[in-house]
Amino acid sequence: MSTQQLNKFAGRRDVLRGVSLAAAGLAAPFAMPRLAGASAPLAQQQVPGLYRLRIGQLEVTALLDGHTAFQDQALPGLFPNYDATVAGRLRQQAFMPAGAVPLAVNAYLVNTGGRLILIDAGAAGALGPTLGQIPRNLAAAGLTPAQVDTIVITHFHRDHAAGLLDAEGHALFPNAELVVAEAEVAYWDDDAAMSQARPAVRSFFEPARRSLAPYRDRLRRITPGQEVSAGVVTLPLPGHTPGHMGVRVHSGPEQLIVWGDVVHTQALQMPRPDWSIAFDSDPGQAAETRRRTFDMAATDRLLVAGMHLDFPGIGYVVRRQEGYGLEPLPWRSAL
Ligand SMILES: [Zn+2]
């Protein structure tokens, strides 16, 4: 068979349907190399959840805590503005599996060269065995919790703050100061706020207090907008919780906006920013923050990262016919 004939054959759709050369009656006229036997056992586990990128002089490592999922039948309760027809269309567009909507839980580690700053700490064992992988992925990055100098907690929900504790409830990070929004600590400490909260929100109070407890003597209370360290600046993004904040990581002309929980389900909430989630302390304010953040990121072509965007959760916000979408950052070998 000539090269020309082979190219013609390979271009046919039959190749995609699995029609082999032999089945097509085209015996190869040359000797085939001996193939190695498939003798390796199946790996049966994913590679470590790590991805690095450089922002100017800073190095950022995305750390995967794992995945959980929202079951389909829970969605109308989770998103009060949920519309089954719209959701069905958006899910089909995003090639999402039926049955449940996967939810990644990510954290981000900033290495300034002099300090290690962790943004959020994952869920540990608080939300089941599919989460709690940050310590393992930190180890895969060659680091230990004792090396972390500073932890910024975007907000005190379990999937972000339960990982501050080890299995015995002690501080997992023995040397880290904890940077928290003053309004966030005040909210979770407020008994009146707890008793007035909707049930979906009320269940977060006790775990938030437990996560804070061993760090009470090393809290750095800030107002969102303040700097944590050179090139690491907090951003007020209220609504999901009263003190919910993001982090702007910048060096020279480069920057990354880590937006915490502005988005939980990107396939639904990016086209529909008004779909706040039941966990939002103030759903109206959360929707307003979401719209403002998308608009800013799309207009200024900002690189963003999110704790529940598909891992590594880094990309660009783009305007689409229906709301917004995310263009994920391609894998890059060189930092
Ligand atoms: Zn979350």
Side-chain angles (χ1 to χ4, degrees), residues 108-112 115-119 148 150 152 228-229 232:
Y108 298 88
L109 181 74
V110 182
N111 188 342
T112 67
R115 298 178 70 81
L116 282 178
I117 301 170
L118 180 64
I119 309 170
V148 175
T150 301
V152 182
V228 174
S229 176
V232 180

Side-chain angles (χ1 to χ4, degrees), residues 103-105 120 155 157 159-160 240 260-261 263-264 279 307-308:
L103 182 83
V105 177
D120 284 354
H155 64 296
H157 283 170
D159 49 323
H160 303 258
H240 185 48
D261 274 12
V263 170
H264 289 80
F279 310 133
M307 276 49 187
H308 299 305

Side-chain angles (χ1 to χ4, degrees), residues 169-183:
H170 302 129
L172 178 66
F173 299 90
N175 303 314
E177 63 167 347
L178 202 62
V179 176
V180 293
E182 177 68 54

Side-chain angles (χ1 to χ4, degrees), residues 23 36 51 61 79 96-97 116 120 131 188 202 214 217 233 235 245 247 259 273-274 314 334:
Y51 182 72
T61 303
F79 297 102
M96 291 177 78
L116 282 178
D120 284 354
L131 293 163
W188 298 114
R202 194 181 307 139
D217 59 351
V233 184
L235 284 173
M245 59 186 182
V247 179
W259 72 24
D274 57 318
I314 303 165

Side-chain angles (χ1 to χ4, degrees), residues 124-145:
L127 296 169
T130 58
L131 293 163
Q133 297 165 21
I134 282 176
R136 195 198 310 166
N137 286 324
L138 202 58
L143 299 167
T144 66

Side-chain angles (χ1 to χ4, degrees), residues 42-297:
L42 300 184
Q44 298 189 334
Q45 62 178 0
Q46 189 50 274
V47 295
L50 287 178
Y51 182 72
R52 291 196 181 101
L53 75 160
R54 198 168 149 160
I55 302 294
Q57 299 299 309
L58 309 176
E59 199 173 270
V60 177
T61 303
L63 297 166
L64 180 67
D65 194 49
H67 284 84
T68 181
F70 294 143
Q71 299 301 313
D72 278 1
Q73 59 269 29
L75 292 175
L78 278 170
F79 297 102
N81 291 341
Y82 188 81
D83 177 302
T85 308
V86 172
R89 187 182 73 243
L90 295 174
R91 289 179 64 155
Q92 192 183 32
Q93 282 171 11
F95 294 90
M96 291 177 78
V101 178
L103 182 83
V105 177
N106 311 324
Y108 298 88
L109 181 74
V110 182
N111 188 342
T112 67
R115 298 178 70 81
L116 282 178
I117 301 170
L118 180 64
I119 309 170
D120 284 354
L127 296 169
T130 58
L131 293 163
Q133 297 165 21
I134 282 176
R136 195 198 310 166
N137 286 324
L138 202 58
L143 299 167
T144 66
Q147 289 174 275
V148 175
D149 300 289
T150 301
I151 305 171
V152 182
I153 294 293
T154 60
H155 64 296
F156 272 84
H157 283 170
R158 281 173 295 183
D159 49 323
H160 303 258
L164 290 170
L165 308 180
D166 64 16
E168 284 76 46
H170 302 129
L172 178 66
F173 299 90
N175 303 314
E177 63 167 347
L178 202 62
V179 176
V180 293
E182 177 68 54
E184 187 73 7
V185 178
Y187 176 67
W188 298 114
D189 280 345
D190 185 345
D191 289 336
M194 179 163 69
S195 61
Q196 287 160 20
R198 284 173 285 119
V201 174
R202 194 181 307 139
S203 64
F204 287 106
F205 277 78
E206 288 299 341
R209 293 174 182 189
R210 272 201 302 277
S211 296
L212 267 165
Y215 294 88
R216 291 269 179 192
D217 59 351
R218 40 188 161 125
L219 294 183
R220 188 182 353 157
R221 297 162 187 260
I222 61 149
T223 302
Q226 288 182 323
E227 186 178 85
V228 174
S229 176
V232 180
V233 184
T234 57
L235 284 173
L237 297 171
H240 185 48
T241 63
H244 180 254
M245 59 186 182
V247 179
R248 176 171 168 258
V249 179
H250 68 98
S251 172
E254 295 183 37
Q255 62 176 324
L256 170 72
I257 305 294
V258 181
W259 72 24
D261 274 12
V262 166
V263 170
H264 289 80
T265 304
Q266 68 193 68
L268 302 180
Q269 288 179 298
M270 295 202 70
R272 292 293 180 130
D274 57 318
W275 284 21
S276 285
I277 197 162
F279 310 133
D280 288 335
S281 289
D282 184 335
Q285 191 181 38
E288 178 51 34
T289 291
R290 197 173 301 111
R291 268 192 296 270
R292 183 169 49 81
T293 307
F294 290 168
D295 180 63
M296 176 184 72

